[in-house]
Amino acid sequence: MSKKLGLALGSGGARGTAHIGLLQALEEEGIEPYCISGCSMGAVVGGGYAAGLSVDELLSTVRRLKAGDLMDPSGGFLISQLGIFKGNKVRKLLLSKIGDVTFDKLRMPFSCVAVDIYGGRLVLLNEGSVTDALRASSAIPTMFRPVQMGEKLLVDGGVLCRVPVKQCKQLGADVVVAFDVLANTGVAVEKVPNIISKVLRIYDIMDYNQNEFAKRDFKDCYDLWLAPELDGLSQYEIKDAEKAYELGYAFAKEHVGEIKALIAD
């Protein structure tokens, strides 16, 4: 029997559809992960897969997705709101795809991460409602309202942990493969024309540098760190999702031999 494979799927917005390409490449080689841990879009893809959605179903959802399917403006005086968008549409979409499933009913061990903005700490989500956990893990600060869970107010786990390799190891994986779709977001740009682009540019810089730190600081928690080249693709543009999937698939096919070698007895 081969070693237990764990996938740590990183945050990445539209770029995160590259994770679907990874899952497809593994399936074609007859490789099924034992467990998945994800952050933000990595949590959404990984959680959907753990809940039983096929690669085709995940990809079909992405291909039909429009910005309006996610955006429900908070309204009122914006500065008094906790997010530009309520996030109710996101939750409704997740419920329509995976149902009101709990972690203990998933077909494989799964966890995701969020950040409690009250306590300023990373929070591991691995029990209760999967939909609520995915919604919290992907609640981009300022863009979507945080998710209240008990005494915690949760936002996107990418604030502190964009590729949860340690959390994947804790699920019982013998071999952890990290899939980082934000590896080159820190490349230079020619201009930053407005306040929105400024905020998004800051996120990109933070994403790039945090992932570089994670590769170094958590090297004992993963066996292979894969980072597909997604040059020119924005994590904020849904139109880039299809190309990200294609590039993620092609990249994963190139490296599937390394994964096979790691999980072989």
Side-chain angles (χ1 to χ4, degrees):
M1 183 178 293
S2 62
K3 296 175 182 176
K4 295 177 181 177
L5 172 64
L7 301 178
L9 305 183
S11 58
R15 281 179 166 224
T17 55
H19 296 311
I20 303 175
L22 168 66
L23 293 171
Q24 180 176 342
L26 292 177
E27 280 195 356
E28 290 177 355
E29 299 294 331
I31 300 172
E32 181 173 358
Y34 165 76
C35 63
I36 298 175
S37 190
C39 177
S40 200
M41 187 59 175
V44 172
V45 172
Y49 193 69
L53 292 181
S54 67
V55 167
D56 287 341
E57 288 172 319
L58 289 168
L59 189 56
S60 176
T61 298
V62 168
R63 285 172 170 163
R64 293 197 303 265
L65 194 64
K66 300 179 178 62
D69 296 331
L70 305 175
M71 298 179 178
D72 45 357
S74 291
F77 189 43
L78 188 58
I79 200 169
S80 67
Q81 304 293 335
L82 292 179
I84 297 173
F85 304 110
K86 299 174 184 177
N88 294 338
K89 281 190 174 182
V90 174
R91 187 176 188 279
K92 184 177 180 180
L93 177 63
L94 290 169
L95 276 174
S96 72
K97 297 302 177 183
I98 67 173
D100 193 19
V101 66
T102 53
F103 279 84
D104 60 309
K105 301 300 182 183
L106 296 175
R107 68 187 182 100
M108 65 181 66
F110 170 76
S111 68
C112 58
V113 292
V115 171
D116 175 21
I117 58 177
Y118 288 152
R121 295 290 185 271
L122 188 70
V123 175
L124 179 67
L125 301 173
N126 58 4
E127 59 182 17
S129 168
V130 176
T131 292
D132 288 341
L134 300 184
R135 165 76 179 87
S137 184
S138 59
I140 303 171
T142 70
M143 298 298 291
F144 292 100
R145 287 182 184 173
V147 175
Q148 188 82 46
M149 284 192 183
E151 296 181 353
K152 298 181 177 67
L153 190 62
L154 303 179
V155 296
D156 196 307
V159 171
L160 290 178
C161 177
R162 285 176 169 79
V163 186
V165 290
K166 179 179 178 181
Q167 291 74 14
C168 188
K169 193 75 171 178
Q170 291 171 342
L171 286 174
D174 298 317
V175 172
V176 173
V177 173
F179 209 65
D180 171 15
V181 299
L182 296 176
N184 60 354
T185 54
V187 297
V189 298
E190 295 183 357
K191 59 181 179 179
V192 180
N194 54 54
I195 190 170
I196 298 297
S197 61
K198 181 190 78 170
V199 171
L200 299 183
R201 174 60 180 161
I202 290 171
Y203 284 161
D204 280 343
I205 294 170
M206 291 169 60
D207 287 337
Y208 170 76
N209 283 281
Q210 190 186 109
N211 284 3
E212 289 299 301
F213 293 144
K215 284 176 64 178
R216 180 196 66 199
D217 296 342
F218 294 100
K219 61 184 179 181
D220 292 336
C221 295
Y222 65 88
D223 300 274
L224 181 63
W225 189 288
L226 297 178
E229 292 293 332
L230 303 175
D231 292 340
L233 301 186
S234 170
Q235 58 176 313
Y236 312 109
E237 296 284 350
I238 291 178
K239 65 179 179 60
D240 286 339
E242 179 77 19
K243 187 64 175 178
Y245 153 74
E246 294 171 359
L247 292 174
Y249 170 74
F251 184 84
K253 290 291 279 188
E254 292 175 4
H255 293 272
V256 73
E258 297 172 60
I259 297 174
K260 281 185 173 181
L262 286 169
I263 63 176
D265 283 335

